[in-house]
Amino acid sequence: MRSPPIPEMATQEVQLSETLAHLKTESDTLKGKLEEERAKLHDVELHQVAEKVEGLGQFVMKTRRTLKGHGNKVLCMDWCKDKRRIVSSSQDGKVIVWDAFTTNKEHAVTMPCTWVMACAYAPSGCAVACGGLDNKCSVYPLSLDKNENLAAKKKSVAMHTNYLSACSFTNSDMQILTSSGDGTCALWDVESGQLLQSFHGHAADVLCLDLAPSETGNTFVSGGCDKKANVWDMRSGQCIQSFETHESDINNSSEADREVAIYSKESIIFGVSSVDFSLSGRLLFGGYNDYTINVWDVLKGTRVSILFGHENRVSTLRVSPDGTAFCTGSWDHTLRTWA
Amino acid sequence: MPVINIDDLTDKDKAVMEVNQLKLEVKLERWLTSKCCEEMKDYIQAGEEDDILVKGIPEDKNPFKEKGGCVIC
């Protein structure tokens, strides 16, 4: 005789799937409402508002410096506030600090892991942060003594339960913001290594983050494999706003309040890995998987230039702090500065 | 505040988090896109004069200008 299923377990299962179904319905209803609200307010596109704005002239931008030295794909780079030094990290496990004017290497650190996916320069210029497959973000104070072993002074700050995808110092050397394959972002105190705030809301790996530019800025945006870009309040840990796209993973994010223009052109079929705005926000630079950089006029929504030079995917792109140049890193093992 | 590993969350936990988040967002004050676009346009145009990548810079002032040749006297 077949024994019946244990009543309690069966009831629990039924209850759970009813609860899940109920939650799904509630979620769908709320999403529908959000869509409605947003559609009501979407009365115009940016390029329409900018119709009378003068178009931009011809652009003559080219590679000014090529930084060679990494033994494998360059994954990330960041500018120092002095507008001339650059830190870069690579699949080869190395983090290098360069003088972008002279192309000299000033410091080099070998990380205990390969795939150093994230690196950042401290605002003071006295330290760099980096991490990747080691699931950590470590800070290395930069020494004036070229012979000093940087690895000896390394400080482990952040610990995630999966790879580190991005890191950024906040307004000071004292705090670091990180994003991870574990689906979270977190704010850390550098000195103590203490977790100050964690940010939950992404349903999958978080791939990138960007802080709002203002001095008093308390918000940042993160993008993830769940196709969402979330805007966060750093003080409360709250997600203030969430944007969903129908494209695939969000590999790079830049602080802009609202999706008001989509920069696309039929002839572009390759994904963009990295983006950054020029100082005023008029230009948007995108580094692509087809080895090029596309330059967009943000107000008009049109492409103004394509730049060639890299011999493999462009993986990282940042405009310099004073907006005089931008730097790209590539899977071709090099970095290039353009102006 | 503890760090949550998303792999440890159950489907129900994730669904509850999503619903709570959406409830928050529905309540937010929103502006007309046209108003935001105007602000964005004004913000961008205000900064354009100082934006070197937009305006260009004379070669001799460009910190990244081509490295000159050497002259031996």
Side-chain angles (χ1 to χ4, degrees):
Chain A
M1 183 172 128
R2 201 173 66 91
S3 55
I6 301 165
E8 212 177 278
M9 274 177 65
T11 318
Q12 274 183 4
E13 267 187 44
V14 167
Q15 276 177 354
L16 176 62
S17 57
E18 273 177 359
T19 313
L20 276 175
H22 175 75
L23 285 168
K24 176 107 192 0
T25 316
E26 207 181 342
S27 174
D28 288 341
T29 315
L30 287 165
K31 282 185 188 171
K33 212 167 164 203
L34 270 175
E35 272 303 305
E36 251 184 68
E37 291 297 311
R38 284 176 175 160
K40 271 190 232 164
L41 297 165
H42 194 113
D43 55 343
V44 80
E45 302 278 322
L46 181 55
H47 70 90
Q48 292 170 295
V49 167
E51 228 170 336
K52 302 229 174 57
V53 171
E54 221 179 279
L56 296 168
Q58 265 293 317
F59 277 90
V60 185
M61 256 180 251
K62 52 185 174 162
T63 301
R64 298 292 177 160
R65 301 285 188 274
T66 304
L67 306 177
K68 296 187 186 180
H70 277 297
N72 211 323
K73 306 179 176 70
V74 176
L75 301 175
C76 188
M77 60 81 40
D78 192 19
W79 288 89
C80 177
K81 283 213 159 70
D82 71 359
K83 310 155 222 167
R84 89 183 257 171
R85 280 173 184 78
I86 283 175
V87 64
S88 63
S89 64
S90 162
Q91 187 188 344
D92 67 1
K94 290 207 168 49
V95 173
I96 300 178
V97 175
W98 315 76
D99 175 332
F101 287 177
T102 63
T103 73
N104 288 338
K105 297 179 199 47
E106 297 203 337
H107 303 276
V109 176
T110 304
M111 293 282 283
C113 64
T114 56
W115 286 91
V116 189
M117 300 165 190
C119 63
Y121 228 117
S124 68
C126 299
V128 292
C130 52
L133 287 185
D134 58 352
N135 298 358
K136 293 189 213 167
C137 183
S138 305
V139 175
Y140 292 83
L142 296 174
S143 169
L144 288 172
D145 177 358
K146 298 283 162 82
N147 293 324
E148 186 160 359
N149 181 7
L150 286 183
K153 293 246 170 91
K154 162 177 162 177
K155 200 187 202 83
S156 282
V157 175
M159 274 291 289
H160 279 278
T161 50
N162 210 322
Y163 65 88
L164 187 83
S165 53
C167 61
S168 176
F169 284 87
T170 58
N171 287 326
S172 80
D173 284 19
M174 300 287 94
Q175 292 183 354
I176 283 193
L177 195 55
T178 57
S179 65
S180 166
D182 67 12
T184 70
C185 296
L187 183 64
W188 310 81
D189 177 86
V190 174
E191 189 55 48
S192 63
Q194 205 195 357
L195 173 66
L196 297 170
Q197 186 68 259
S198 61
F199 305 90
H200 305 281
H202 279 288
D205 304 20
V206 185
L207 296 179
C208 53
L209 57 85
D210 193 28
L211 278 146
S214 83
E215 291 284 311
T216 53
N218 286 305
T219 59
F220 72 96
V221 64
S222 63
C225 290
D226 57 356
K227 305 182 212 264
K228 291 215 173 91
N230 290 342
V231 181
W232 307 88
D233 177 339
M234 275 162 64
R235 293 160 300 186
S236 65
Q238 195 64 60
C239 173
I240 315 170
Q241 183 75 277
S242 187
F243 300 97
E244 196 158 339
T245 72
H246 40 255
E247 305 294 322
S248 58
D249 308 349
I250 298 181
N251 276 311
N252 211 254
S253 56
S254 263
E255 271 284 330
D257 264 334
R258 204 167 281 266
E259 189 197 280
V260 291
I262 299 173
Y263 300 96
S264 66
K265 210 168 141 64
E266 267 138 39
S267 52
I268 297 181
I269 51 168
F270 286 86
V272 58
S273 64
S274 47
V275 293
D276 202 4
F277 287 101
S278 70
L279 202 63
S280 63
R282 182 68 195 262
L283 298 174
L284 179 66
F285 300 96
Y288 287 73
N289 294 342
D290 67 353
Y291 318 171
T292 68
I293 292 131
N294 280 249
V295 186
W296 301 88
D297 179 338
V298 171
L299 292 179
K300 297 286 189 187
T302 53
R303 180 174 64 186
V304 295
S305 193
I306 315 183
L307 303 172
F308 301 92
H310 277 298
E311 292 163 21
N312 206 321
R313 228 180 246 219
V314 178
S315 53
T316 179
L317 186 157
R318 303 248 183 138
V319 171
S320 74
D322 62 351
T324 48
F326 67 93
C327 180
T328 51
S330 163
W331 281 16
D332 70 4
H333 307 188
T334 72
L335 292 116
R336 284 170 183 250
T337 50
W338 309 75
Chain B
M1 213 176 135
V3 175
I4 305 170
N5 187 346
I6 41 160
D7 293 330
D8 293 337
L9 291 175
T10 61
D11 287 338
K12 183 178 164 218
D13 291 334
K14 289 186 194 176
V16 168
M17 272 173 76
E18 189 176 304
V19 167
N20 288 338
Q21 179 58 35
L22 287 167
K23 282 182 182 165
L24 271 173
E25 287 187 34
V26 164
K27 290 193 204 133
L28 289 175
E29 182 199 335
R30 287 181 166 79
W31 289 350
L32 279 174
T33 307
S34 51
K35 179 174 177 200
C36 298
C37 286
E38 280 294 333
E39 285 205 10
M40 272 172 71
K41 179 171 75 91
D42 293 341
Y43 173 87
I44 288 174
Q45 296 206 285
E48 259 184 67
E49 277 311 304
D50 297 326
D51 188 343
I52 295 173
L53 287 170
V54 172
K55 293 289 168 192
I57 187 177
E59 252 329 274
D60 54 346
K61 293 221 177 71
N62 187 346
F64 284 100
K65 67 175 183 272
E66 306 297 322
K67 291 197 260 191
C70 298
V71 177
I72 302 173
C73 313

